[in-house]
Amino acid sequence: MSDRIPVKDISPVQVHRPDKSKHNDHYTPRNRIYVRAVKGALENFRRFFGLVFLSLFAILPWLQYEGSQAILLDIGAQRFQIFGLTLWPQDLTLLAWIFIVAAFALFFVTTFAGRVWCGFMCPQTTWTFIYIWFEEKIEGSRNKRIKLDERKMDTDKFVRKTLKHVAWVSVALLTSLTFVGYFTPIDALFIDFFTFSSSFWATVCVLFFAVCTYGNAAYMREIMCTHICPYARFQSAMFDKDTFTVAYDAQRGEQRGPRPRKATREQNAAKGLGDCIDCNLCVQVCPTGIDIRNGLQYECINCGACVDACNGVMDKMNYPKGLISFTSETQLAGGQTKIFRPKLIGYAVVLVLMSALLVFELLSRVPLEVDIIRDRNALYRETNDGLIENVYTLKILNKSQHTQHFDISVNGLEGHRFIGDDSVTVMGGEVFNLPISIAIDPYQLEEPVTEFSFTIRSQEDEDAIIKQPSKFLYR
């Protein structure tokens, strides 16, 4: 057995810095990033995808279900109402299952396709691109925005800057009102807020989230992705050589450099030039300001903007597309990407298992909660008839959204006398306290402690039935 540790020779990555004499320094992460507009298949898909989820975010709190807001996460009442499902603090395990399923879904997607969550679904990215869209429409293209910021304040610059910030604040306020509308009735929230009659905490929450949205999408932008978001830090633990990520084909692109458009690829190859013409469009369209040609970087959010930009340049040069593409390290090295691999299969199996358990929890959930509290003043008492009596309080929680009638019965206590209401009406979401007493002849009690059970059954829902154990005490 050798005592030596095997050493793997890893060649250092050659970082190509743009020539500052040919390109300005506005795109570097050390300065403000002026994102250039880009067109392409991935950009169209990202916009469509973002529009769908943005529409869902804006529409869902306005939906009505059986006369009430379909989705209402009422923290004050400790009740989450999701269409026909009502979750209570007692249902915390369901929320835990939901978070577990979401986590493994994220792990599975990241292992397969890298940080596509960040590039196509993350709210930070979506709202950043919305703000950039307003910026382009009001202040102009990338070069026009650079020149506008460089010149001194005049009437035109003041008007454009004012319109831009008014649009940004409006988007932030609508976003905040919609978000807070998930936690309080949204129709009343909009009316009360714009008539200055909303409650103190509702106003504070709306203003707080509006400031957060404005600050994140207008100023923080890539800083959230590169310095604050923890996802960028631990994503490398889920990557492998077969993970699809945005990557630059260095073997095909190097040596990079400008060349006449009329020159053929063969003529350029004879001069030692690859397909990359060093136009830096891939850098200018990147929302985090990185150069994808420097290799895999944690700042890359896999939005695919550089792919569309590079493909557009390749079309103009009559070169094949794919110099920058969604590919794997294995494929770049000339191998074949393995889709079905143990790591990905493991995540898929766990995801399916967790999802099945979540569905099972939802289907087996009983929309009824019962808590039995014994009288703490006396273990038992003797009535005038010589019977032994125990006093209980039944706390019945109707976890559904409808009024239900419940029947109460006692099992396992022969010869008992039930004192109190054996049928009650409980409103949807109400906790009903029912005091009752159970009396029995002491000659029928063989032990000091007799175990029995209460059965609470709904007249409307046959699945809403609970058998709750309790004890009858004597001596």
Side-chain angles (χ1 to χ4, degrees):
M1 180 177 180
S2 176
D3 294 334
R4 292 188 177 183
I5 300 176
V7 178
K8 182 179 180 181
D9 183 18
I10 301 178
S11 301
V13 177
Q14 183 180 2
V15 178
H16 297 269
R17 302 289 184 187
D19 187 352
K20 293 184 179 181
S21 63
K22 299 179 181 180
H23 308 281
N24 59 47
D25 198 35
H26 287 291
Y27 62 84
T28 61
R30 296 179 180 86
N31 298 316
R32 179 182 174 185
I33 297 176
Y34 292 86
V35 181
R36 187 188 186 104
V38 62
K39 295 181 180 179
L42 287 174
E43 176 66 13
N44 293 335
F45 178 74
R46 186 193 60 76
R47 290 189 178 187
F48 172 78
F49 209 67
L51 180 62
V52 170
F53 281 91
L54 187 62
S55 301
L56 288 175
F57 168 76
I59 294 174
L60 283 178
W62 291 98
L63 297 180
Q64 297 290 312
Y65 182 81
E66 297 185 350
S68 60
Q69 189 169 321
I71 299 179
L72 182 59
L73 313 178
D74 194 341
I75 297 178
Q78 298 183 351
R79 177 177 63 186
F80 287 3
Q81 183 174 307
I82 307 174
F83 290 93
L85 178 66
T86 302
L87 300 179
W88 299 85
Q90 296 89 336
D91 299 312
L92 184 62
T93 53
L94 279 176
L95 292 178
W97 281 116
I98 293 173
F99 289 137
I100 291 173
V101 170
F104 276 100
L106 185 62
F107 297 161
F108 174 80
V109 171
T110 303
T111 302
F112 178 73
R115 290 180 63 182
V116 289
W117 158 264
C118 298
F120 291 85
M121 295 181 63
C122 177
Q124 174 69 22
T125 303
T126 301
W127 263 260
T128 295
F129 277 111
I130 290 174
Y131 273 44
I132 292 175
W133 183 85
F134 278 102
E135 201 171 45
E136 291 174 349
K137 296 302 179 182
I138 297 173
E139 295 185 353
S141 63
R142 177 181 182 272
N143 292 334
K144 290 182 179 179
R145 297 200 304 271
I146 294 174
K147 293 179 180 179
L148 182 68
D149 287 346
E150 287 178 346
R151 79 175 191 231
K152 294 182 179 180
M153 182 64 68
D154 54 23
T155 303
D156 178 67
K157 182 176 181 178
F158 177 79
V159 171
R160 291 180 183 274
K161 292 292 183 181
T162 301
L163 288 176
K164 180 185 72 173
H165 286 281
V166 168
W168 283 357
V169 170
S170 300
V171 172
L173 188 59
L174 288 175
T175 300
S176 179
L177 284 167
T178 303
F179 180 74
V180 176
Y182 280 89
F183 301 90
T184 188
I186 192 169
D187 49 356
L189 174 66
F190 268 77
I191 296 174
D192 292 344
F193 184 83
F194 288 108
T195 57
F196 304 101
S197 57
S198 58
S199 65
F200 171 78
W201 285 112
T203 304
V204 169
C205 290
V206 170
L207 295 178
F208 173 76
F209 287 111
V211 170
C212 290
T213 303
Y214 177 78
N216 286 344
Y219 296 102
M220 299 288 287
R221 293 190 179 180
E222 76 283 351
I223 297 177
M224 290 292 298
C225 304
T226 59
H227 293 85
I228 299 176
C229 179
Y231 181 44
R233 306 303 181 190
F234 67 79
Q235 63 165 336
S236 59
M238 292 171 277
F239 280 20
D240 55 38
K241 293 183 178 181
D242 295 305
T243 299
F244 287 100
T245 59
V246 174
Y248 166 72
D249 190 349
Q251 293 183 357
R252 172 185 162 186
E254 301 299 326
Q255 291 289 328
R256 67 183 74 163
R259 76 287 308 276
R261 289 185 60 178
K262 295 181 179 181
T264 64
R265 292 183 69 194
E266 291 75 14
Q267 292 173 340
N268 294 325
K271 297 178 182 178
L273 292 175
D275 284 352
C276 179
I277 67 173
D278 202 19
C279 62
N280 285 301
L281 287 181
C282 58
V283 181
Q284 295 175 17
V285 300
C286 179
T288 58
I290 66 171
D291 190 342
I292 194 62
R293 296 170 296 179
N294 292 338
L296 180 64
Q297 299 151 76
Y298 76 89
E299 296 94 342
C300 178
I301 60 173
N302 271 24
C303 64
C306 57
V307 176
D308 284 334
C310 187
N311 285 340
V313 173
M314 294 296 104
D315 277 340
K316 293 178 181 179
M317 297 297 296
N318 293 321
Y319 292 173
K321 295 180 180 180
L323 180 59
I324 300 176
S325 63
F326 275 91
T327 185
S328 66
E329 183 180 347
T330 300
Q331 192 167 346
L332 285 176
Q336 188 70 26
T337 302
K338 296 179 181 178
I339 302 297
F340 301 101
R341 51 193 187 275
K343 187 177 183 179
L344 191 63
I345 294 175
Y347 280 134
V349 170
V350 175
L351 176 59
V352 171
L353 180 61
M354 296 296 107
S355 300
L357 290 174
L358 172 60
V359 173
F360 175 78
E361 286 284 337
L362 288 172
L363 295 178
S364 61
R365 176 179 177 270
V366 178
L368 172 64
E369 188 84 17
V370 177
D371 191 15
I372 300 174
I373 303 174
R374 291 184 49 83
D375 185 8
R376 299 179 181 178
N377 295 324
L379 296 179
Y380 68 93
R381 63 189 179 190
E382 187 174 350
T383 66
N384 294 331
D385 301 333
L387 301 179
I388 302 300
E389 183 182 39
N390 281 200
V391 180
Y392 306 87
T393 298
L394 274 61
K395 297 174 70 72
I396 302 175
L397 169 60
N398 181 6
K399 297 167 68 174
S400 69
Q401 300 176 13
H402 311 284
T403 300
Q404 297 199 45
H405 301 83
F406 295 100
D407 297 326
I408 298 98
S409 60
V410 175
N411 306 100
L413 199 61
E414 298 296 333
H416 73 276
R417 180 188 299 176
F418 191 94
I419 305 172
D421 296 331
D422 59 358
S423 181
V424 295
T425 301
V426 185
M427 304 289 290
E430 180 187 2
V431 179
F432 189 89
N433 293 323
L434 176 64
I436 62 168
S437 299
I438 297 178
I440 192 171
D441 192 325
Y443 291 103
Q444 293 183 332
L445 299 173
E446 299 178 356
E447 300 291 338
V449 179
T450 303
E451 296 184 354
F452 70 102
S453 63
F454 289 97
T455 300
I456 297 88
R457 185 191 308 269
S458 172
Q459 297 178 4
E460 291 78 15
D461 186 0
E462 61 180 10
D463 294 328
I465 178 173
I466 284 185
K467 191 173 184 180
Q468 190 76 9
S470 187
K471 296 179 180 180
F472 191 92
L473 303 182
Y474 175 51
R475 297 174 194 166

